[in-house]
Each structure stands twice: as structure tokens, then as C-alpha cells.
């Protein structure tokens, strides 16, 4: 026996099975949306983890290839490390849920989402988001939920909720919105230059749908929900705060944090911590939480300065952007490069162009996405924040930031037909002090233009922050937040776009949601800042894409051949095409529809390869003149190779106007000569003449 709950969601049935499987987890639900099935569980440790000053939440989205009827590739035929899509889904589940756990909770919590079956029309990611929220809500883990998540598409100016696979293909927007009962708590979007007003309407249309799902979850919790367990609070003792304030008065803390240089501020805080450690040397229980206490003291100081005094730590006005700079062609020999600097945030992006065969192949659950032509990678080394630690490859943060910039730039990229290249941009973080992901959008937009990629419009990104008071009306939106304002503020609202509209949004918050006025003000602030960056900073550095790709970038010739002739060009076991590649030094890609891309750095070799391929696919007809190489000499004449795998014979009588007694008197192996096709002989073979070329 188990509990089963159903509701209609966007024209399909959402079913939740409780007490059916995984009963030893604190909370577990088997989610069904259409024929998509995801097992969602929530578990918590009995005791808090020692020695930490953060909430240890882990979110896992586990894709199983059996869910789409596939066996994993590779040698061991087992799922390997999480795909990029899985990592991004982990982040989207984590962001709206983390703020709703108690701030003083230090028990380990793991949310596992196992994708067991995929219906292409019912998103497994969405199903996991809903399932994770329900699993925690019915568990005994403290959680101020429930929440709900809705996806929104835009087709012919009409919003489509939780779009099907076909609708996603036609949609101009991919928006994900998570909500609590009253407010929006998470926004993630990719869009084709959607106007700000339309984006706001879409966000709150999704918020309304979320309220219906939350009401549905409430019925499940009412019948199956467990009583929330008590826990050992890790809050900083109030008497410690009072003791700290006696040693370090609020005015002294304000002076310590009120600077635009991160290193100076960190040194000031280090001195304060040393003073406090000496003062509390005999109180071990206070020393254990002193770091968290100083952090919270800084946070209260910064928030008070901003909200009450309208003073930012670096002295800027509320809507003022830090000093900006942009330059291009920073790195020689690469295909394109640009650097964007905003205060102590500095990103250099390098663009690389390659044939379409270099596009990334994807082995995931979404069968509509098997390759990726544009790849954006983001690197965040420790030196960028003045620290030292070994590089262990990209983590979830790096993958998430790279994907955000990639999403922001995709809508302005030219089609494959317009620009037949695979494109990779790599954003290297030189310095970091707030919103490097949006600086990488700006740097990448310029870098693409320097590489000669004909993007439709320049894209800029900026982040807005938020500090709230005791009521919904008591708040302040900040333009261009630096690291300190991100750490101590309530929101990091990243928006990227062109003059025309929004191409990407990512919103992280630390409070229980945002009201409509806050979201509208944040989007308006980012629009104003984005316009300034585009017009006053990026445009003077590079106003439009360069007309041609750079000197060191590969050049591509495109041609179309009859698909029936592909075998002739490739040859037996690739012999013909490999001979062309070896002779000309180019790279050749042939699609099933007969589209041929010839890629190289030397125009002469590319032209020769194109000529050879044209010759191979051309049917011999009388009157056509070809250039061929002598590959065989016989007593009766010679054989000419016009292209790899394509030969013809010239009879000795057709070699010259005068009588030729011996072929070797006129020709030798390897000679390149011109010959005209005379048509078929009596045996049905094509014959050629060198002597009749002039005529």
C-alpha cells in the first residue's frame, strides 16, 4: 500500500507516489510526469558536522542511460562523471532550496534525484526539481517550503508552460522560475533578445502556475508529512557579539570594510581577528565560532551602511558602476582575443575557430541535442583572488559560469550556413571581485568580433544586488555588486543582453524570495548599466565584427555535391579523400546531404582540394578540358589521373599534332598536362586527347 497523488500540469499528469520506495530516507517520492520517472530522496545526518561554518547541502542529479534505452559509451559501459547538464541541474535545484533551510543548521543534507525514465515531452530536470522540493517538504528535515518550479517557453509571443520537445525547438525563450507561496525565489533564463517587459510578464505567469503546484504539495504534506526534527543550533552566542562590540566598536568595523581594495579590507579584518583571538584566548568555545561571528559582524555593518546610510564599501553611488576598461587583440597568434575589466574583476577571453567536425559530441538523455557547435569554457584560478591552491579542473561553479555566458551569447551567433565553423571561447579569470561571469560575457562578445565571427549584436552583462530590511518595502537595489556586497547582500541578479533585449538571466538569492517591484527594479537597473557598457566601453574597443577571420584562423570553402557521389570522393576505405588531404594539406568534412567543408590555412591548397573534388564528382562529357598527371605509360598511350581515383587514357595518336613513335619521347611519369574529353570509344570507355585541347 502506498499514497498516490495526481494533478494536471500543463496538459499532462503529474503523479507523486509516497511510501512506495526508499522508505529509509528521511523523505522520498517516486515522481511521474507523463512517462518521465524520477526517484527523489532527501536524507540528513543525525548530528551536525563538526568544524564548519556553513550548511552542508549536497544536490545530485543522476542521469541513467537506461532511461532513454541506451548503453553508455566507452570501455566499461557504465555511467561516468556527471554530465554538464547534470551539474547545471544540480545548481538549479540547489539555488532556490538552500535559502529555505535554517541558517544555523549544520547537519549534512543530501538530495538525490535518480532519472529512471525519460519522456521527451516531460522534462526530467523539471520533474526532479519538483520531486526534490516534495521529498524535503514531507521529510522531518527543517525546511521553510514548499516551493515549486515552472519552465516557460515563448512561441509567437505566447507563453508555453513546461514546453514539450517540439515546443522547445520553436521557442524563443527557455525560462525557469521557482517560487514560494508568496515570492519568486529563483530565475534562470536563456532568450533570443526578449524585451524586459515581456520577460517580467513571463516570470510572474510562471509564478502563478507555481502557486497551483504548491497547493497540490500542501495536500501531500498534510497527509504524509513528518514532524520536523529538532536540531543542535550552531548560531553564534549573543554574548559573544556583545563582547566583540566592546573590543571592536561599530565605527572601527566600518573603517575596516570601507575601502575599494579587497586586499586592504582583508588585511584590516585579519588584524581585527588577531586582536579578538588574543582577547578571547581563554574561551575556547568562543574561539571555535569566532570566524563566523566576525563574518556576521561584517555583514551587519555592511548592510547597515548600505541600507540606512546609502554608503557602499568602496564609496560608489547606489547605481554607479566600477571603473571599466576594454581592449582587444591582447594575445598574438590566437584567432581572437579581448579583455574586459570592471574594478578588480578582469577577464580575458580567447576565441578559437575550427571545422564543424570539431563540434562537441554529447552523449546525454536529450536525444535532440547530440552535438554542440559553440562551447564556452570559464576558468577560475586561485591567483585571481590572491590565494594559492592546486588546480583540480573545473568545478560546479566554473561549469555553471561557463554555461551562463554560453547561453548569453548563443542567440547572437550566426547559423552554420552563414559561418560554417565550430567556435570555442575560453574566459580566463585574471582578477575576481564580483560577477566574473558577466565580465566574461562582455569579453567573449568582443573576442568573437575580433575573430571575425559575424555575431548579430554585441552582448553585455551586469549584476545587480539587494539589501533588505524588516519589511518588503524596505530594500535597496545595487548596480554592479562587488564580492563583499555579494557575500553580505541578499541577491546576485545577473542579466545579459543586447540593446534589443535579454539573452540570459541567473538569479541567486539568500532570502525567502523577491517581490515584483524588486524584480522590476533590478531588471531596469541592469538594462541601464548594460546599455552604458555597450555604448561607452565595448563599442569604442570594437564596434562590429571584423569582415574576415584572422591570419592564423582556418579558412573554409563550402561546396555542395550530389550525395550519390560521396562514395566517389571518399573512395574505398577512405583512400581517395586521404590522398586529397595528403596532397593539399587541408581538412575535409562531408555531411550526408552532400555538404562539403574544406578547411585550411593556405588558400592555394584549399582551392586545389576544391578543384579535385569537383573533378571527381563531374561526369566526363565530350569537350570538357581537365588537367591530369601521368601515372602510367604504355606502348599504346598514357593514363592520366585527373583527381584521386579518377583516371582517363590518352592514345599515342592523340598526344601531339606530330607523329609520336614512342610515348617516352614526349612524356614521363609525373608530368602534369591538359587533355580534352572526346567522349566514349567503341568499347564504351572515355577517351582523351592532348593534341586537341586548343580546339
Amino acid at each position: 500500500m502506498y499514497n498516490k497523488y495526481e494533478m494536471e500540469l500543463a496538459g499532462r499528469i503529474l503523479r507523486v507516489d509516497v511510501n512506495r520506495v526508499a522508505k529509509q530516507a528521511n523523505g522520498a517520492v517516486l515522481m511521474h510526469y507523463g512517462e518521465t520517472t524520477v526517484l527523489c530522496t532527501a536524507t540528513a545526518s543525525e548530528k551536525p558536522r563538526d568544524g564548519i561554518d556553513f550548511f552542508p547541502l549536497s544536490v545530485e542529479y543522476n542521469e541513467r542511460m537506461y532511461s532513454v534505452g541506451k548503453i553508455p559509451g566507452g570501455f566499461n559501459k557504465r555511467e561516468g562523471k556527471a554530465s554538464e547538464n547534470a551539474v547545471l541541474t544540480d545548481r538549479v535545484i540547489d539555488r532556490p532550496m538552500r535559502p529555505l533551510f535554517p541558517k544555523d543548521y549544520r547537519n549534512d543534507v543530501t538530495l538525490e534525484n535518480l532519472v529512471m525514465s525519460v519522456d521527451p515531452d516531460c522534462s526530467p530536470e523539471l520533474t526532479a526539481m519538483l520531486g526534490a522540493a516534495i521529498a524535503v517538504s514531507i521529510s522531518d528535515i527543517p525546511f521553510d517550503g514548499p516551493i515549486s518550479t515552472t519552465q516557460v517557453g515563448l512561441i509567437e509571443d505566447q507563453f508555453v508552460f513546461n514546453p514539450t520537445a517540439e515546443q522547445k525547438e520553436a521557442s524563443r525563450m527557455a525560462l525557469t522560475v521557482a517560487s514560494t507561496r508568496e515570492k519568486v525565489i529563483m530565475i534562470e533564463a536563456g532568450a533570443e533578445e526578449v524585451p524586459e517587459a515581456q520577460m517580467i510578464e513571463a516570470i510572474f505567469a510562471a509564478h502563478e502556475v507555481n502557486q497551483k503546484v504548491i497547493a497540490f504539495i500542501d495536500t501531500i504534506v498534510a497527509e504524509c508529512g513528518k514532524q520536523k526534527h529538532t536540531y543542535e543550533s550552531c548560531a553564534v552566542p549573543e554574548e559573544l557579539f556583545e563582547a566583540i562590540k566592546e573590543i571592536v566598536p561599530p565605527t572601527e568595523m566600518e573603517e575596516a570594510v570601507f575601502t575599494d581594495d579587497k586586499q586592504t579590507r582583508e588585511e584590516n579584518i585579519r588584524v581585527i581577528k588577531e586582536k579578538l583571538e588574543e582577547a578571547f584566548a581563554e574561551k575556547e568555545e568562543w574561539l571555535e565560532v569566532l570566524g563566523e561571528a566576525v563574518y556576521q559582524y561584517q555583514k551587519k555593518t555592511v548592510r547597515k551602511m548600505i541600507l540606512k546610510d546609502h554608503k557602499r564599501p568602496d564609496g560608489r553611488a547606489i547605481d554607479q558602476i566600477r571603473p571599466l576598461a576594454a581592449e582587444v587583440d591582447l594575445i598574438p597568434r590566437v584567432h581572437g582575443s579581448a579583455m574586459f575589466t570592471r574594478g578588480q574583476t578582469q577577464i580575458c577571453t580567447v576565441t578559437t575557430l575550427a571545422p564543424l567536425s570539431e563540434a562537441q559530441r554529447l552523449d546525454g538523455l536529450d536525444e535532440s541535442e547530440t552535438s554542440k557547435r559553440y562551447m564556452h569554457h570559464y576558468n577560475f584560478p586561485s591567483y585571481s583572488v590572491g590565494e594559492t591552491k592546486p588546480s583540480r579542473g573545473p568545478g560546479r561553479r566554473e561549469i555553471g559560469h561557463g554555461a551562463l555566458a554560453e547561453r548569453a551569447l548563443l542567440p547572437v551567433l550566426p547559423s552554420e550556413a552563414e559561418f560554417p565553423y565550430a567556435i570555442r571561447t575560453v574566459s580566463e579569470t585574471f582578477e575576481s571581485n564580483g560577477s566574473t561571469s558577466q565580465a566574461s560575457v562582455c569579453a567573449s562578445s568582443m573576442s568573437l568580433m575580433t575573430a571575425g565571427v559575424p555575431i548579430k549584436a554585441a552582448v553585455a552583462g551586469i549584476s545587480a544586488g539587494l539589501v533588505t530590511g524588516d519589511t518588503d518595502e524596505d530594500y535597496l537595489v545595487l548596480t554592479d555588486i562587488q564580492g563583499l556586497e555579494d557575500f553580505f547582500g541578499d541577491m546576485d541578479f545577473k542579466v545579459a543582453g543586447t540593446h534589443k533585449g535579454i539573452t540570459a538571466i541567473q538569479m541567486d538569492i539568500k532570502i525567502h524570495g523577491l517581490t515584483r517591484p524588486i524584480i522590476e527594479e533590478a531588471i531596469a537597473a541592469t538594462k541601464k548599466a548594460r546599455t552604458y557598457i555597450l555604448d561607452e566601453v565595448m563599442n569604442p574597443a570594437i564596434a562590429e565584427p571584423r569582415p574576415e577571420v584572422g591570419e592564423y584562423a582556418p579558412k573554409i570553402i563550402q561546396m555542395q555535391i550530389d550525395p550519390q557521389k560521396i562514395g566517389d570522393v571518399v573512395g574505398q576505405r577512405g583512400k581517395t579523400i586521404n590522398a586529397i588531404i595528403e596532397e593539399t594539406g587541408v581538412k575535409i568534412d562531408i555531411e550526408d546531404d552532400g555538404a562539403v567543408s574544406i578547411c585550411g590555412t593556405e588558400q592555394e591548397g584549399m582551392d586545389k582540394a576544391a578543384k579535385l573534388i569537383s573533378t571527381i564528382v563531374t561526369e566526363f562529357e565530350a569537350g570538357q578540358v581537365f588537367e591530369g598527371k601521368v601515372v602510367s605509360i604504355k606502348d599504346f598511350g598514357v593514363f592520366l589521373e585527373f583527381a584521386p581515383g579518377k583516371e582517363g587514357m590518352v592514345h599515342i595518336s592523340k598526344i601531339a599534332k606530330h607523329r609520336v613513335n614512342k610515348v617516352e619521347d614526349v612524356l614521363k611519369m609525373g608530368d602534369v598536362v591538359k587533355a580534352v574529353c572526346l567522349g566514349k570509344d567503341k568499347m564504351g570507355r572515355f577517351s582523351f586527347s592532348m593534341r586537341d585541347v586548343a580546339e
Side-chain angles (χ1 to χ4, degrees):
M1 295 292 291
Y2 62 92
N3 304 81
K4 182 170 73 174
Y5 302 89
E6 291 184 354
M7 73 169 289
E8 184 180 310
L9 182 60
R12 285 145 283 169
I13 297 299
L14 176 70
R15 194 179 98 210
V16 182
D17 296 344
V18 184
N19 297 321
R20 187 176 189 183
V21 295
K23 296 178 184 177
Q24 294 188 51
N26 295 62
V29 290
L30 191 61
M31 301 291 296
H32 309 268
Y33 190 29
E35 292 185 330
T36 291
T37 304
V38 183
L39 172 62
C40 303
T41 62
T43 50
S45 61
E46 292 184 6
K47 295 181 179 179
R49 194 196 299 182
D50 291 333
I52 61 170
D53 56 3
F54 62 92
F55 168 46
L57 173 66
S58 298
V59 180
E60 303 293 339
Y61 177 78
N62 297 313
E63 298 174 319
R64 294 289 188 260
M65 296 305 287
Y66 60 67
S67 66
V68 290
K70 291 182 182 178
I71 294 176
F75 290 104
N76 63 5
K77 299 300 178 185
R78 188 182 182 98
E79 286 85 1
K81 69 175 186 177
S83 69
E84 186 173 294
N85 178 68
V87 171
L88 298 176
T89 304
D90 293 337
R91 287 169 58 85
V92 173
I93 295 173
D94 182 297
R95 292 209 307 272
M97 296 191 69
R98 186 177 290 271
L100 300 179
F101 290 92
K103 295 188 183 303
D104 58 344
Y105 193 53
R106 297 292 179 267
N107 298 45
D108 283 275
V109 174
T110 300
L111 307 182
E112 290 265 5
N113 302 279
L114 179 62
V115 181
M116 307 187 74
S117 173
V118 175
D119 178 343
D121 289 336
C122 298
S123 163
E125 295 87 358
L126 173 72
T127 308
M129 292 173 207
L130 295 173
I134 297 172
V136 178
S137 295
I138 66 171
S139 76
D140 61 344
I141 302 169
F143 181 69
D144 192 12
I147 65 167
S148 173
T149 307
T150 295
Q151 296 175 335
V152 188
L154 179 63
I155 302 175
E156 296 180 355
D157 286 334
Q158 296 295 316
F159 298 138
V160 180
F161 301 107
N162 300 342
T164 63
E166 185 179 344
Q167 289 170 333
K168 286 179 182 177
E169 285 290 317
S171 177
R172 291 179 50 231
M173 177 173 71
L175 169 67
T176 303
V177 178
S179 306
T180 63
R181 294 182 208 282
E182 298 172 347
K183 300 175 182 177
V184 172
I185 196 166
M186 191 276 297
I187 302 169
E188 178 122 346
E192 296 178 7
E193 300 179 279
V194 170
E196 281 73 8
Q198 193 169 33
M199 182 64 75
I200 291 169
E201 290 305 315
I203 291 168
F204 285 93
H207 180 64
E208 290 182 16
V209 175
N210 282 334
Q211 299 315 302
K212 298 174 184 176
V213 180
I214 288 173
F216 170 65
I217 297 173
D218 283 339
T219 63
I220 300 173
V221 174
E223 292 187 25
C224 303
K226 300 175 184 177
Q227 183 175 349
K228 300 301 181 183
H229 65 230
T230 57
Y231 62 93
E232 184 181 330
S233 173
C234 294
V236 176
E238 193 60 40
E239 56 267 28
L240 173 56
F241 278 124
E242 295 304 319
I244 289 174
K245 287 179 182 177
E246 288 182 12
I247 299 167
V248 183
T251 53
E252 186 177 334
M253 181 59 83
E254 284 188 22
E255 289 176 7
V257 299
F258 201 87
T259 173
D260 62 350
D261 184 77
K262 187 168 71 170
Q263 282 70 30
T264 302
R265 182 170 57 249
E266 289 173 350
E267 176 61 21
N268 294 342
I269 297 301
R270 188 190 65 78
V271 171
I272 286 174
K273 282 188 73 174
E274 284 186 355
K275 187 197 303 189
L276 293 171
E277 284 169 354
E278 288 180 17
F280 303 144
E282 297 181 2
K283 294 196 173 185
E284 286 189 17
E285 69 279 9
W286 282 10
L287 290 176
E288 288 179 2
V289 293
L290 183 60
E292 175 68 9
V294 172
Y295 169 84
Q296 291 190 21
Y297 192 13
Q298 286 184 78
K299 184 174 183 176
K300 289 177 181 177
T301 303
V302 170
R303 292 172 67 85
K304 180 258 179 186
M305 288 164 59
I306 294 172
L307 192 61
K308 304 302 180 187
D309 306 333
H310 286 207
K311 290 170 63 178
R312 299 176 72 167
D314 56 5
R316 281 183 292 149
I318 298 303
D319 61 350
Q320 185 179 352
I321 307 173
R322 286 171 290 171
L324 300 167
E327 58 181 296
V328 297
D329 302 323
L330 183 73
I331 312 298
R333 296 193 72 88
V334 298
H335 301 165
S337 67
M339 187 166 72
F340 184 82
T341 305
R342 187 188 336 101
Q344 287 184 302
T345 292
Q346 189 175 61
I347 296 284
C348 176
T349 297
V350 176
T351 298
T352 307
L353 306 178
L356 288 169
S357 59
E358 296 293 318
Q360 182 180 358
R361 284 182 290 178
L362 304 176
D363 186 21
L365 304 187
D366 189 346
E367 295 184 357
S368 67
E369 291 190 11
T370 56
S371 66
K372 188 161 70 169
R373 170 214 184 192
Y374 174 57
M375 299 150 279
H376 187 286
H377 295 145
Y378 165 98
N379 295 316
F380 187 83
S382 58
Y383 64 74
S384 66
V385 287
E387 297 176 357
T388 175
K389 63 179 179 179
S391 175
R392 302 296 187 199
R396 290 187 175 187
R397 181 181 184 277
E398 285 87 347
I399 291 172
H401 278 19
L404 176 58
E406 184 176 292
R407 192 183 307 124
L409 291 159
L410 266 174
V412 301
L413 291 179
S415 67
E416 288 185 11
E418 295 171 302
F419 193 71
Y421 286 87
I423 307 165
R424 181 182 186 233
T425 48
V426 180
S427 292
E428 305 288 1
T429 307
F430 289 169
E431 281 193 81
S432 174
N433 187 15
S435 199
T436 51
S437 66
Q438 297 310 287
S440 71
V441 171
C442 301
S444 300
S445 178
M446 295 188 295
S447 181
L448 287 165
M449 288 196 280
T450 66
V453 180
I455 61 174
K456 299 169 188 173
V459 182
I462 194 72
S463 183
L466 175 73
V467 178
T468 56
D470 297 328
T471 67
D472 287 346
E473 290 73 33
D474 186 16
Y475 68 88
L476 206 59
V477 172
L478 309 174
T479 299
D480 178 28
I481 55 172
Q482 60 172 312
L484 189 74
E485 294 165 334
D486 185 6
F487 300 147
F488 299 149
D490 297 319
M491 174 180 79
D492 183 5
F493 199 121
K494 309 179 186 81
V495 184
T498 64
H499 280 301
K500 189 176 176 183
I502 292 171
T503 59
I505 294 179
Q506 187 178 94
M507 184 187 84
D508 300 330
I509 64 171
K510 301 168 189 171
I511 54 176
H512 288 201
L514 302 181
T515 62
R516 182 163 183 149
I518 293 175
I519 292 174
E520 289 178 342
E521 190 171 331
I523 287 180
T526 56
K527 166 69 173 176
K528 179 182 175 183
R530 197 172 77 232
T531 301
Y532 176 81
I533 293 170
L534 286 168
D535 292 342
E536 304 299 327
V537 183
M538 293 170 59
N539 189 61
I542 182 165
E544 59 186 20
R546 288 178 177 153
E548 295 178 352
V549 298
E551 177 185 356
Y552 300 105
K555 316 302 185 290
I556 293 180
I557 293 177
Q558 283 188 298
M559 55 191 299
Q560 187 73 35
I561 65 172
D562 183 349
Q564 301 295 322
K565 298 285 186 179
I566 293 175
D568 296 340
V569 176
V570 174
Q572 190 175 15
R573 297 180 181 176
K575 182 179 178 181
T576 303
I577 196 168
N578 287 333
I580 298 173
I581 291 169
E582 186 176 346
E583 184 177 344
T584 61
V586 302
K587 185 168 184 177
I588 301 171
D589 295 321
I590 306 178
E591 301 294 332
D592 292 339
D593 62 356
V596 180
S597 294
I598 301 168
C599 178
T601 54
E602 299 293 334
Q603 192 66 42
E604 183 180 349
M606 296 167 62
D607 291 339
K608 186 174 183 180
K611 185 178 179 181
L612 291 172
I613 292 172
S614 296
T615 303
I616 291 171
V617 300
T618 299
E619 295 288 354
F620 289 139
E621 292 181 5
Q624 290 178 322
V625 176
F626 297 93
E627 193 174 77
K629 181 170 68 173
V630 177
V631 292
S632 179
I633 297 177
K634 307 293 183 184
D635 291 341
F636 53 82
V638 296
F639 283 91
L640 302 180
E641 184 184 61
F642 301 111
K646 194 147 189 174
E647 296 181 2
M649 192 197 79
V650 180
H651 191 268
I652 192 170
S653 64
K654 302 293 185 182
I655 290 177
K657 297 265 186 198
H658 59 273
R659 179 180 175 82
V660 177
N661 294 317
K662 192 176 180 183
V663 174
E664 288 87 341
D665 292 341
V666 180
L667 298 170
K668 62 181 184 295
M669 291 288 288
D671 282 352
V672 177
V673 298
K674 287 186 178 180
V676 61
C677 181
L678 300 176
K680 292 182 180 180
D681 60 18
K682 293 177 181 179
M683 302 289 290
R685 299 170 301 189
F686 283 98
S687 62
F688 293 82
S689 169
M690 291 168 54
R691 76 177 190 184
D692 298 316
V693 168
E695 286 79 5

